[in-house]
Amino acid sequence: MTASTTETYALVNDGSSTTALGFKAGALAAGIKASGRPDLGIWASDVPCVAVATFTQNAFAAAPVIVSRERLEASPRAQAVVFNAGNANACNAEQGMRDAREMAQLAAAKLGISPDLVLVASTGIIGVPMPMDIVRAGMSRVDLRPEGGHAAAQAIMTTDTRQKDCAVSVRIGGRDVHIGAMAKGVGMIHPNMATMLAFVGTDATLAPDFARTALKRAVDRTFNMVSVDGDTSTNDSCFLLANGLSGAPELTGGSPDAERFVAALEAVCTDLARKMASDGEGATKLLQVDVTGAASESDARRAARAVASSSLLKAALHGEDPNWGRVFMAVGNSGARVDANRAALWIGSVQVARDGLTTGFEKAEASAQMHGDEVSMRVDLGLGSASARAWGCDLTEAYVVENSAYST
Amino acid sequence: MTASTTETYALVNDGSSTTALGFKAGALAAGIKASGRPDLGIWASDVPCVAVATFTQNAFAAAPVIVSRERLEASPRAQAVVFNAGNANACNAEQGMRDAREMAQLAAAKLGISPDLVLVASTGIIGVPMPMDIVRAGMSRVDLRPEGGHAAAQAIMTTDTRQKDCAVSVRIGGRDVHIGAMAKGVGMIHPNMATMLAFVGTDATLAPDFARTALKRAVDRTFNMVSVDGDTSTNDSCFLLANGLSGAPELTGGSPDAERFVAALEAVCTDLARKMASDGEGATKLLQVDVTGAASESDARRAARAVASSSLLKAALHGEDPNWGRVFMAVGNSGARVDANRAALWIGSVQVARDGLTTGFEKAEASAQMHGDEVSMRVDLGLGSASARAWGCDLTEAYVVENSAYST
């Protein structure tokens, strides 16, 4: 993440989900993952928070998603999230629901709070019952600390190769407000949402309606614009908890500093979204797709996501092959309004198509724009002024290898 | 293809697109493909035909698609299709349109018919102008013969490893009617349609409206249910030409033999669709997905296609990994109505899930159902009586290798 040029927010060095005042986390290797890596933890605030969330659209929503959604629908308040990796607790029917509720109870007992204030997030294999004996034993050993953010970020990793967390500070009503977050997700990442877990904790004071609107907007422009493999998981959850401990005045949609907070929140989510795309399973390159000149924002979003999602294009990206026709093919499939004689395309700084046909570019020059671990493409549809950005990654042999032997 | 058990139609041995009376074809290696393989040809009837088609939904439709669509919208009549592989003539703006029309003119001159009776089909790389000097020189050497069907099927191959053609005969009004067809397509194959070309020639006598309805139904249930990589090409075209030379009475929607013809046409298209899926780029396994018990046919279609399209599931298939949660995950993303506590799943003959959760099946036994080059899965949604079938293939390292270095 680079600091905002307009200085509305500042990057916090070594930031994490516990950077905001009053947040703490603990995690350990309970033994859910066969690898012996960290897989269980609790992320909590010292005091109850305004809490909002976005969840997977998948019809087979996992038990922790159902439990968390029910709690937040009943009341936009929470104080903690209990989480695990290695088992998604999805497709486990009623037993899954009982296990998810028990996980919340175990965490609540440890924290001395009501189970209704605990949300649940799980990620891992689908269709295998949660090993509750392991969870119970592990939970008793979780040790929450204000400096526990990075350890928590490690414990929600599945096939992630790097932990994903960050934080920013932003001035609200004369106070320094912090927004810290962690996320995981590298496969089954696709609009809308991903096998993606993201926990965002802030010491700002947020009105529930404003928190909901701000989170939805940030998720729509960041996590929902990331595609790794076109699949959407049963477990995606993005939580925003606001505890007000900064002492800053409550933000509502009409507050003078509302936009500043929204921009800071989006910056945090953008950073995590980029980290997810570049850590896509088997990925070697981050792809950033901008669509400009669209007739509407929804067209721009659709077109950008279609390009970032195309298996053919992602394979070409891997080979650093400026096979630009595949970009137009993907845009043409997106449902966005296009005029085949107006579209233009840039790969990095090289314009490869204009008015719907090749510029006669030098292939080697365009290919050179695809070297390195970050590649940008821009499609201008020449129809309007709407734009959108999406992120993806290349499709590699390693993705196939990784996903052809996951559960066995 | 296996012969129909109700004996409504019979498989023709060694059938092709020229099996029906009065059809002929010619093809050669003109030099459009760098490989020196066959890449140009003409498929024609001795007399003008009732002609209908379905085309790509991609907004960047290629020039040959635009030209063919215009002709058939003006009049449902045609006598020939000129075709090439190695160049899609897509994203070539006005020059592409001129080249597509000239290809039709060259074929018409050779056949001594009006250019309006010639349709055009191209497949290959996008965004490179058609090498018309090569096309002109090649066209003068095309030699059409009644036994030219297989050669034509070879000349529309791109990354296909096997030619795809077949024919059936069916009794209509006391006459033997033939339906012969060829197709190509192994990548960018996805609902709706594919980088897919299919030419179907019959000596039946078809009313245009009936021909249109019959083709749409067959395509919807076959080619539109095949997914290789989730991308839809700029060039997909499926033509049906009926020349009436069998002497059978004209079929309309109300004819007693109408359903028999429709079933035969669907059988031809099913055979080609299965050949496409099993020849998917890099594929080693054909996946047949049945969805039963759906609340509606559109739900069943959506769910079946989602399963056949999931990159994660396709990778698991490659590894013969009975990771059944990925099947439900894909169904859950499809938009089809589901009840997580009612869904059941079979891999081959092994039931792996019931009432939304695992049956506790033996992993080795389920994996054994995934050996071999044809794997079937069935999802029962437990909600109604609608069903649908889709075809796909596994996702392999070879797909990535093949598609990461195509144009360079």
Side-chain angles (χ1 to χ4, degrees), chain A residues 311-312 395, chain B residues 159 164 185-191 193-196 223-232 273-283 285-287 305 307-311 314-315 390-396 399 402-403:
Chain A
S311 290
L312 268 178
L395 174 63
Chain B
T159 48
K164 299 170 182 70
V186 289
M188 281 213 286
I189 288 188
H190 188 65
M193 299 198 59
T195 295
M196 198 212 81
F223 300 130
N224 280 351
M225 297 302 282
V226 174
S227 182
V228 166
D229 61 12
D231 283 313
T232 302
R274 286 174 58 95
K275 284 175 175 159
M276 284 192 279
S278 65
D279 196 22
E281 287 174 351
K285 292 173 187 296
L286 171 69
L287 172 65
R305 299 201 303 198
V307 174
S309 305
S310 161
S311 291
K314 289 149 60 79
W391 297 272
C393 59
D394 53 342
L395 174 63
T396 68
Y399 173 87
E402 196 160 328
N403 283 296

Side-chain angles (χ1 to χ4, degrees), chain A residues 231-388:
Chain A
D231 284 312
T232 301
S233 103
T234 49
N235 291 58
D236 308 331
S237 305
C238 177
F239 298 117
L240 170 61
L241 269 62
N243 65 15
L245 291 180
S246 66
E250 185 185 64
L251 286 173
T252 66
S255 304
D257 288 333
E259 271 306 305
R260 196 204 302 273
F261 180 84
V262 165
L265 178 62
E266 185 176 325
V268 166
C269 296
T270 299
D271 179 70
L272 297 175
R274 287 174 57 96
K275 284 175 175 159
M276 285 192 276
S278 65
D279 196 22
E281 287 175 352
T284 65
K285 291 173 189 297
L286 171 69
L287 173 64
Q288 178 171 296
V289 179
D290 282 292
V291 170
T292 57
S296 70
E297 193 187 324
S298 80
D299 273 7
R301 289 170 57 84
R302 232 179 290 180
R305 299 202 301 199
V307 174
S309 306
S310 162
S311 290
L312 268 178
L313 177 67
K314 288 149 61 78
L317 175 62
H318 183 50
E320 303 182 348
D321 175 5
N323 195 336
W324 65 274
R326 292 181 183 178
V327 178
F328 279 8
M329 175 277 301
V331 171
N333 285 333
S334 71
R337 200 182 128 208
V338 303
D339 178 334
N341 296 318
R342 289 203 199 178
L345 172 64
W346 288 258
I347 298 177
S349 59
V350 173
Q351 183 166 15
V352 299
R354 178 190 299 124
D355 301 333
L357 78 171
T358 180
T359 56
F361 64 93
E362 284 297 324
K363 206 172 236 182
E365 205 188 328
S367 179
Q369 299 286 317
M370 303 172 82
H371 298 342
D373 55 9
E374 290 200 21
V375 177
S376 68
M377 297 189 184
R378 179 162 76 89
V379 180
D380 190 280
L381 296 176
L383 295 174
S385 59
S387 64

Side-chain angles (χ1 to χ4, degrees), chain A residues 3 25 56 62 65 97 101 121 123 139 166 180 213 237 244 246 249 280 346 357 368 386:
Chain A
T56 180
V65 168
M97 295 295 293
R101 289 201 187 94
T123 176
M139 202 79 82
C166 70
T213 307
S237 305
S246 66
W346 288 258
L357 78 171

